[in-house]
Amino acid sequence: MLARWFQAVCLVAVTAAVPIDRSKQSAEEEQVEEQKVEPPDTGLYYDRYLHEVINVLETDNHFREKLQTANADDIKNGKLSKELDFVSHHIRSKLDELKRQEVSRLRMLIKAKLDATMGENAQVDHMSLVKRFNHIDAHNQDTFEAKDLEMLIKTATKDLENFDSARHEEFKRYEMMKEHERREYLKTLDEEKRKAEEAHFEEMKKKHKDHPKVNEPGSRDQLKEVWEETDGLDPDEFDPKTFFNLHDTNGDGVLDEQELEALFTKELEKVYDPKNEEDDMVEMEEERLRMREHVMKNVDANHDRLVTLEEFLKSTEKKDFNNNHDWETVDERPVYTEEELRRYEQELNRQEAELNNRAEQLRKDHEELQQRQLELDTQKKEYQQAVMQMENRKAKQSQSQQEQPPSGPNGELKFQQEGQKSEREPAAGAPGNAVLEAENALPAEPPGHIPEPEKKQEQQNAIQEQ
């Protein structure tokens, strides 16, 4: 598959294959092939983006033809990237979309990390932070250009060259943590139990070291053992070329790193068994990595992380190929020093102190929030009670006004004018109803009528004037 070959030459994948002439394949055959071959995980944080770009590029005929004639140097120095200008518009559009998706993914990763460390309200320029990633041209975040392909290849090449070193460092930290936890556990035991635990630990170490001889990876004895026990062939008829073809499982003409690591299974089974308490499977994977690095160092002449048939045959012609040295397993050589362990424990203590301080601060913040919540609940309850009292007071006043007759400022009854009689006159049978009826029964006075007292006063005034 072309994508896997491209990944291997670019040093951006763990496995690879030679180019395939797709013009001779039907669409159904291509689909079946794609289903059979799954892209390997490079361990890079942009692994998916890397695979998607390669898968799109290999569908372009022009780019695929250039790729078939390119060498590793042309790819790594960016010369092949310039061919991107000649791919079809359809391919460029797909690459543009992949890049926009990758930029969006990086923004979300940055935001999630900052929210976890600085809080959700942190004001951060996510676009400037995206520019710190080296596998993408963040100055142009909309279109996939030749510079993007060049940056992707160079960054992946560099990262994968350091990938094994990172795995070794991770294993060292794992071993130091394991020893640190063991020592801390011993501190919790009394003298008798501590001695018993130490004796058990030494017994497991001794039991683990009691295993058959481990052949040096890549030596004649090691390969002949695979030839005999795995392949079921006569050891006296060992043939390097036949051996190479047998273990080139995908038939691509090279032994990739996975195919090489498969050759060490028999040696690893001599030392590690998942059923045994004394055997650590994490150490087994470290052992596998060390064996593969050892073979690659001695066989992979051009350092492209692949072993060709020519390289393999040349390695079998070396003098060291017939010299089988005992392989020193990872438990037989110190992975770390006491000084490294001491610094590691200091770092753990520092991190633990920071976590404790953070936990204490979170506890105080939680208590403050709880106290604030209680205060808010109390205020809410008081407010609800005040509202209820006001509503009750208004209800009582309204009821009182409806039950009492209207009165004046001094408490006297207020009577309605005739036009407002229906609203002001008291109900039938109420006190004063007879007086009101009597007043209503008097005849109305004619116009110009002068009351009797005023009439007498006017007469007296007239007599005095005369």
Side-chain angles (χ1 to χ4, degrees):
M1 180 181 173
L2 181 58
R4 298 180 68 203
W5 181 85
F6 182 34
Q7 291 169 328
V9 176
C10 299
L11 305 181
V12 294
V14 180
T15 59
V18 294
I20 295 175
D21 187 359
R22 290 179 176 266
S23 62
K24 299 179 181 179
Q25 289 182 300
S26 64
E28 291 77 12
E29 290 175 340
E30 291 182 7
Q31 185 175 5
V32 171
E33 183 183 358
E34 292 291 341
Q35 293 174 352
K36 289 182 179 179
V37 181
E38 294 184 0
D41 188 354
T42 61
L44 304 174
Y45 66 90
Y46 49 90
D47 175 78
R48 181 175 178 178
Y49 174 66
L50 174 66
H51 283 297
E52 289 176 340
V53 169
I54 293 173
N55 290 337
V56 170
L57 284 173
E58 73 159 349
T59 61
D60 184 80
N61 293 330
H62 172 80
F63 194 87
R64 186 169 62 252
E65 291 175 0
K66 293 295 182 180
L67 182 59
Q68 291 175 1
T69 58
N71 55 40
D73 292 334
D74 290 339
I75 296 175
K76 289 190 289 185
N77 62 24
K79 182 177 180 180
L80 183 66
S81 303
K82 298 178 181 178
E83 299 297 330
L84 186 68
D85 294 334
F86 303 99
V87 302
S88 66
H89 175 74
H90 177 65
I91 298 299
R92 294 297 294 269
S93 297
K94 285 186 176 181
L95 294 173
D96 292 346
E97 180 60 26
L98 288 177
K99 181 177 180 179
R100 287 191 289 267
Q101 291 176 3
E102 178 68 1
V103 171
S104 178
R105 184 184 73 89
L106 294 176
R107 291 178 192 167
M108 289 189 292
L109 286 176
I110 293 171
K111 185 179 187 304
K113 183 177 180 180
L114 293 175
D115 287 347
T117 56
M118 302 175 61
E120 297 183 359
N121 297 324
Q123 299 295 325
V124 180
D125 185 1
H126 296 87
M127 299 303 296
S128 62
L129 292 176
V130 170
K131 297 178 182 178
R132 298 184 181 182
F133 295 96
N134 296 323
H135 71 286
I136 194 170
D137 180 16
H139 294 282
N140 171 20
Q141 301 186 6
D142 296 319
T143 59
F144 189 97
E145 305 295 340
K147 185 177 180 180
D148 287 286
L149 183 57
E150 180 180 354
M151 293 179 66
L152 181 61
I153 293 173
K154 289 184 177 180
T155 303
T157 301
K158 180 180 178 181
D159 290 345
L160 282 171
E161 287 176 348
N162 300 324
F163 186 66
D164 289 343
S165 299
R167 288 180 60 185
H168 289 310
E169 186 63 28
E170 183 180 356
F171 174 73
K172 178 190 288 188
R173 294 178 67 85
Y174 167 79
E175 288 289 294
M176 289 191 293
M177 174 60 79
K178 189 167 63 172
E179 177 63 16
H180 169 72
E181 291 179 345
R182 188 186 74 85
R183 294 182 182 184
E184 291 297 312
Y185 173 67
L186 290 176
K187 294 178 182 179
T188 65
L189 304 178
D190 57 36
E191 186 66 21
E192 182 178 356
K193 291 183 178 179
R194 184 162 54 251
K195 289 182 178 180
E197 185 64 26
E198 287 282 16
H200 177 71
F201 177 71
E202 293 299 327
E203 180 184 357
M204 291 298 100
K205 286 177 61 178
K206 183 179 179 180
K207 188 176 180 181
H208 174 70
K209 292 181 179 180
D210 185 16
H211 55 72
K213 174 186 175 182
V214 179
N215 295 312
E216 181 182 2
S219 65
R220 175 180 287 274
D221 288 348
Q222 190 261 316
L223 298 182
K224 285 181 67 176
E225 190 173 44
V226 176
W227 173 277
E228 180 180 4
E229 298 186 15
T230 303
D231 302 333
L233 301 175
D234 188 347
D236 296 331
E237 298 179 358
F238 175 76
D239 178 63
K241 184 175 182 179
T242 303
F243 181 90
F244 181 94
N245 293 329
L246 283 173
H247 294 278
D248 177 18
T249 55
N250 58 5
D252 59 5
V254 294
L255 295 180
D256 56 50
E257 293 178 346
Q258 288 182 340
E259 290 168 335
L260 280 176
E261 290 181 355
L263 300 178
F264 314 138
T265 301
K266 298 299 297 184
E267 302 303 317
L268 294 171
E269 288 177 348
K270 296 177 182 179
V271 186
Y272 301 96
D273 186 343
K275 298 179 182 179
N276 295 338
E277 176 187 355
E278 66 274 12
D279 298 336
D280 190 336
M281 295 301 103
V282 177
E283 291 182 358
M284 184 187 73
E285 293 306 316
E286 173 69 9
E287 198 74 69
R288 191 191 305 275
L289 173 59
R290 291 179 61 240
M291 289 180 171
R292 188 247 295 165
E293 286 180 328
H294 177 77
V295 173
M296 281 294 189
K297 180 180 179 181
N298 296 325
V299 181
D300 183 19
N302 62 356
H303 307 293
D304 64 352
R305 303 173 76 96
L306 298 172
V307 175
T308 63
L309 176 59
E310 181 182 2
E311 291 173 331
F312 182 77
L313 293 179
K314 284 184 178 181
S315 70
T316 62
E317 297 171 358
K318 295 179 180 179
K319 182 179 178 179
D320 291 341
F321 179 71
N322 297 315
N323 297 331
N324 182 25
H325 304 289
D326 291 347
W327 178 253
E328 188 178 34
T329 58
V330 68
D331 58 285
E332 296 175 329
R333 53 183 298 177
V335 179
Y336 56 86
T337 64
E338 282 295 323
E339 177 62 23
E340 288 176 323
L341 178 60
R342 185 185 65 82
R343 291 197 300 266
Y344 178 70
E345 289 179 331
Q346 289 177 346
E347 177 66 17
L348 288 179
N349 292 334
R350 185 188 64 79
Q351 293 177 358
E352 183 178 3
E354 289 181 355
L355 289 175
N356 290 336
N357 292 336
R358 179 61 176 165
E360 178 64 20
Q361 184 60 43
L362 291 174
R363 185 188 64 78
K364 292 181 179 179
D365 293 343
H366 180 65
E367 290 180 353
E368 291 179 1
L369 289 174
Q370 285 184 323
Q371 182 62 31
R372 181 58 178 165
Q373 185 63 45
L374 291 175
E375 294 175 357
L376 291 175
D377 292 341
T378 302
Q379 293 177 359
K380 180 179 178 181
K381 187 176 181 180
E382 292 175 352
Y383 173 76
Q384 291 175 342
Q385 291 177 349
V387 171
M388 292 178 62
Q389 291 175 358
M390 292 178 62
E391 290 178 348
N392 291 337
R393 188 179 298 112
K394 288 181 179 180
K396 290 180 180 180
Q397 291 177 353
S398 176
Q399 183 178 2
S400 174
Q401 291 176 355
Q402 291 178 358
E403 292 178 352
Q404 296 179 0
S407 59
N410 298 323
E412 70 275 11
L413 293 178
K414 295 177 66 177
F415 299 102
Q416 299 176 346
Q417 297 296 329
E418 186 174 358
Q420 299 174 334
K421 178 178 180 181
S422 60
E423 296 180 0
R424 296 175 56 187
E425 66 182 8
N433 189 54
V435 177
L436 292 174
E437 290 178 352
E439 290 179 354
N440 292 333
L442 294 176
E445 295 180 351
H449 174 72
I450 300 174
E452 188 66 25
E454 295 180 1
K455 186 177 181 181
K456 290 181 179 181
Q457 183 65 32
E458 290 179 356
Q459 292 176 353
Q460 290 178 357
N461 292 337
I463 293 173
Q464 290 178 359
E465 291 178 356
Q466 290 177 0

